[in-house]
Amino acid sequence: MDWGMKNRLSKIIKPKDGHTVMLAVDHGYFMGPTTGLEKLDQMVNPLIPYADVLMPTRGALRNYISPDTEIPICLRVSGGTSILNEKNLLHEGIIVSIEDAIRLNVSAVAFSILVGQPFERDTLLGFTQIIDDANRYNIPVLAVTAVGRGLGKDAKYLSLASRMAAELGASIVKTYFCPNFEKVVDTCPVPIVIAGGKKIPEKDAIQMAYDALQAGAIGVDMGRNIFQSSDPVSMIKAVNAVVHKKYSPKEAYDLFKSKKK
Ligand code: R5P
């Protein structure tokens, strides 16, 4: 692996412990002003000190995030549908050229694959195109798997989608936590982070992050369970403590409650 790819990956996966807290705020690319991100800058800026990586769209980056920011970026580069398009939701293609990603000085790019959907082929071919483009410049690609409805988020499906992503060239895979998650980790040759999914009680989201780490995930790429929390700053602090400070779920939840306004 070339120095450049290793250097960019070290911005995403922290060398000190091989873990990462990625803050996903790319939801607007198909959800518009989703709850919590109505004023993205006001939500995100207080969270940045506790995140290792920010995952925005290019428009969010250019319109809401200061170019002075030191946080590395994992840029959303697939899209093409909205939540209004129920039948074709997440039938995605490339929405950002690798040249624009380079202009934005990103450390990685993220692309969704929809294994199991009727249009899976389009997303997989788009994914491999962006991998070829990114590899020319030693930019790692994070595969976003299983976002969307009716895909069955069990170990059998998630290990299929995660392994396919790795086989097709992903450097990191984002998927969801599930029972027997060890199987997903053990059958995937590249690091895995978990998405948070729809908002659940903070105690449950903290437990999920802990369980995922215990099962071999290297961290989280979490959005709604942080920016839709009753206290987003306290929540990202708690998640960070689980990922980087070996806090137990109870310790982390106590931290959340103690910091909550
Ligand atoms: C969908 O909007 C994106 O792929 C998100 O990056 C991903 O779902 C992680 O966000 P959340 O934790 O809100 O599911």
Side-chain angles (χ1 to χ4, degrees):
M1 189 186 296
D2 186 80
W3 190 93
M5 178 71 85
K6 289 178 181 175
N7 180 257
R8 288 192 177 93
L9 277 171
S10 74
K11 307 275 193 273
I12 305 296
I13 303 172
K14 297 305 164 187
K16 65 180 179 183
D17 58 7
H19 291 170
T20 188
V21 175
M22 301 177 72
L23 177 58
V25 294
D26 59 320
H27 303 65
Y29 84 99
F30 80 111
M31 297 171 81
T34 192
T35 303
L37 294 182
E38 296 89 343
K39 296 184 186 303
L40 192 141
D41 49 348
Q42 292 179 20
M43 170 57 73
V44 169
N45 288 337
L47 302 177
I48 284 178
Y50 310 100
D52 297 310
V53 183
L54 188 64
M55 182 168 149
T57 60
R58 64 176 166 183
L61 206 48
R62 288 189 164 118
N63 291 295
Y64 288 113
I65 304 299
S66 167
D68 296 340
T69 189
E70 295 178 359
I71 193 169
I73 302 300
C74 177
L75 188 73
R76 155 73 56 184
V77 297
S78 72
T81 65
S82 79
I83 49 173
L84 299 180
N85 191 343
E86 282 287 331
K87 286 185 181 175
N88 227 0
L89 184 64
L90 304 173
H91 185 168
E92 300 190 355
I94 298 171
I95 58 171
V96 181
S97 69
I98 201 65
E99 289 75 17
D100 207 28
I102 293 167
R103 274 188 215 106
L104 288 163
N105 195 31
V106 304
S107 296
V109 295
F111 194 105
S112 297
I113 59 171
L114 277 292
V115 174
Q117 291 286 16
F119 50 78
E120 64 177 7
R121 184 176 185 273
D122 290 348
T123 67
L124 292 168
L125 294 184
F127 177 61
T128 49
Q129 180 61 59
I130 209 72
I131 284 179
D132 286 339
D133 295 345
N135 279 350
R136 280 201 301 276
Y137 305 100
N138 282 323
I139 298 175
V141 178
L142 178 142
V144 177
T145 69
V147 177
R149 305 180 186 116
L151 291 171
K153 295 190 170 83
D154 60 8
K156 183 178 179 185
Y157 172 76
L158 296 178
S159 55
L160 167 68
S162 299
R163 178 59 174 268
M164 283 179 64
E167 297 263 5
L168 292 172
S171 296
I172 306 171
V173 171
K174 170 165 71 166
T175 191
Y176 289 83
F177 183 68
C178 66
N180 191 22
F181 192 68
E182 292 82 356
K183 176 189 175 185
V184 182
V185 171
D186 293 345
T187 54
C188 183
V190 300
I192 288 183
V193 295
I194 64 152
K198 288 183 178 176
K199 177 71 177 68
I200 56 177
E202 282 83 355
K203 186 177 184 181
D204 296 340
I206 290 168
Q207 183 69 52
M208 176 174 64
Y210 177 84
D211 292 343
L213 265 291
Q214 295 304 304
I218 64 157
V220 300
D221 184 8
M222 200 175 269
R224 289 161 288 180
N225 276 284
I226 292 175
F227 61 73
Q228 291 176 355
S229 168
S230 55
D231 189 327
V233 172
S234 299
M235 185 59 181
I236 197 168
K237 285 181 178 179
V239 171
N240 187 297
V242 166
V243 173
H244 288 305
K245 299 174 183 172
K246 300 186 187 301
Y247 271 41
S248 69
K250 182 181 184 313
E251 290 167 332
Y253 187 55
D254 287 345
L255 178 66
F256 169 74
K257 290 186 293 184
S258 68
K259 300 282 187 183
K260 193 175 172 189
K261 292 187 182 74

